[in-house]
Amino acid sequence: MSATLDVPVIQAPHEVDRPGSRQQKEVTRLLPTWLLGVVIAALCAFVLLPLLYIFLASVNSDLSVARGDFWPEAFTFENYSKIWTSVGLANGLANSVVVAGSTAVVSAALAVATAYVLVRYEFRGRLTMLRGLLALQSIPGTLLLLPVFVLYSSAATYLKIQIIGTHWGLFLTYLTFALPFSTWVMVTYLRGLPKELEEAARIDGASNLGILTRIILPLSWPGIIVSGIFAFLLGWNDVLFASIMTRPESQTAAVALQIFATSTEGGAVPYYGQMMASALVCAAPVVILYLFFQKYLVGGLTAGGVK
């Protein structure tokens, strides 16, 4: 007599949609595939078509651009060779790199140290300083143009310190506006770093300066680069303060372009080709900077968004 055992058949459970799986992507997609492609193509055309026109105008003659011709009759790169003498772009680019670059480096360095103190230490006035950083972002820079100019002029009159017309005077001006934003970016980033790493370093005998230089700085490169790039853009794109606070030998590239465009408006045929070529040359360093630090920008801008 043999006994039979009924073994229950265990059915395989249904596959659970994991985060990022194909099933979940199809469920959470807001737009159909074809409509998403149309939207992306429209956005790319919105950005790239003006750039294409600027490039075609830079390799075209001034008369053809003035007539409204989109496609050049003959491609020429003479405009790119003329801008170094007619616009004075070499001196302007050098001044912009010095002022904007120093502003980015110093602003990022000070922002890391300031944000570390505001995030990791409790002291009286800490919340007031954090709120003050946000309040400073709401003040338009045009309102501070006259006070800053009067302050620097008074320094030259009473203290015999010449600030207006110098590189470091423009550097101090940009640092004043860049430091609050850079500090707030670093505050948001440092809040996401685990405190356990610092506690372990303290147990091993590391000082506050050692923790900042050996632990915080290596982990904070995305936030540092984001704050530095925004400070660099502040100094690179500014025209208002640079036109008031500089002399011909210390003018930035933005001021050189403005002066060249203003001086050629009254002519029979404005130098449109040289203007477009100058604009592309001035935009190239910023584009290269974004492409080089793209991976750090994504991490730095999204830091603190998910806890």
Side-chain angles (χ1 to χ4, degrees):
M1 183 176 180
S2 61
T4 59
L5 297 177
D6 296 334
V7 180
V9 178
I10 301 176
Q11 296 181 352
H14 295 286
E15 184 180 356
V16 181
D17 293 342
R18 293 173 296 177
S21 63
R22 182 177 179 182
Q23 292 82 356
Q24 187 175 8
K25 288 182 180 179
E26 292 178 355
V27 173
T28 58
R29 182 175 294 170
L30 298 178
L31 297 175
T33 305
W34 66 271
L35 185 56
L36 184 62
V38 171
V39 172
I40 294 177
L43 292 176
C44 292
F46 183 77
V47 175
L48 296 178
L49 283 179
L51 293 178
L52 178 61
Y53 175 76
I54 293 175
F55 172 74
L56 293 177
S58 66
V59 295
N60 198 357
S61 63
D62 297 325
L63 184 59
S64 298
V65 178
R67 288 200 306 260
D69 297 341
F70 181 79
W71 194 262
E73 297 179 356
F75 288 86
T76 176
F77 291 91
E78 293 182 356
N79 295 322
Y80 288 92
S81 60
K82 293 179 180 178
I83 58 177
W84 305 106
T85 55
S86 60
V87 184
L89 202 58
N91 183 48
L93 286 175
N95 293 329
S96 294
V97 170
V98 170
V99 175
S102 58
T103 302
V105 173
V106 176
S107 176
L110 293 178
V112 174
T114 306
Y116 178 70
V117 174
L118 292 175
V119 172
R120 292 294 189 255
Y121 294 92
E122 296 287 344
F123 55 90
R124 182 176 298 179
R126 172 177 168 272
L127 293 178
T128 303
M129 294 181 63
L130 289 173
R131 293 166 183 168
L133 292 176
L134 288 178
L136 289 174
Q137 300 300 315
S138 61
I139 301 177
T142 53
L143 295 180
L144 300 178
L145 178 61
L146 183 59
V148 170
F149 182 81
V150 173
L151 179 64
Y152 288 174
S153 299
S154 301
T157 303
Y158 298 103
L159 302 178
K160 306 302 180 181
I161 300 176
Q162 185 63 36
I163 301 178
I164 297 177
T166 61
H167 291 97
W168 69 275
L170 195 60
F171 159 75
L172 290 177
T173 304
Y174 293 152
L175 185 63
T176 304
F177 294 100
L179 192 56
F181 179 80
S182 299
T183 304
W184 188 255
V185 170
M186 292 309 305
V187 166
T188 306
Y189 189 87
L190 293 182
R191 282 175 176 173
L193 296 181
K195 297 181 180 179
E196 289 76 11
L197 296 176
E198 302 173 31
E199 295 174 355
R202 292 186 189 279
I203 294 176
D204 293 338
S207 62
N208 293 331
L209 183 60
I211 292 175
L212 180 61
T213 55
R214 297 181 181 180
I215 296 178
I216 299 300
L217 283 179
L219 296 176
S220 303
W221 278 115
I224 294 173
I225 290 175
V226 168
S227 60
I229 286 180
F230 276 92
F232 181 85
L233 290 179
L234 175 66
W236 189 269
N237 297 329
D238 176 70
V239 178
L240 182 62
F241 283 90
S243 60
I244 301 298
M245 307 292 294
T246 58
R247 295 177 179 176
E249 61 272 10
S250 60
Q251 288 175 349
T252 60
V255 178
L257 286 178
Q258 183 194 32
I259 294 176
F260 178 74
T262 305
S263 61
T264 58
E265 283 182 355
V269 180
Y271 299 114
Y272 290 120
Q274 297 184 38
M275 293 182 194
M276 300 301 180
S278 302
L280 288 179
V281 171
C282 291
V286 179
V287 175
I288 295 174
L289 196 66
Y290 267 94
L291 293 177
F292 189 75
F293 294 109
Q294 182 179 8
K295 61 178 182 179
Y296 296 102
L297 284 171
V298 174
L301 289 174
T302 57
V306 179
K307 294 293 184 181

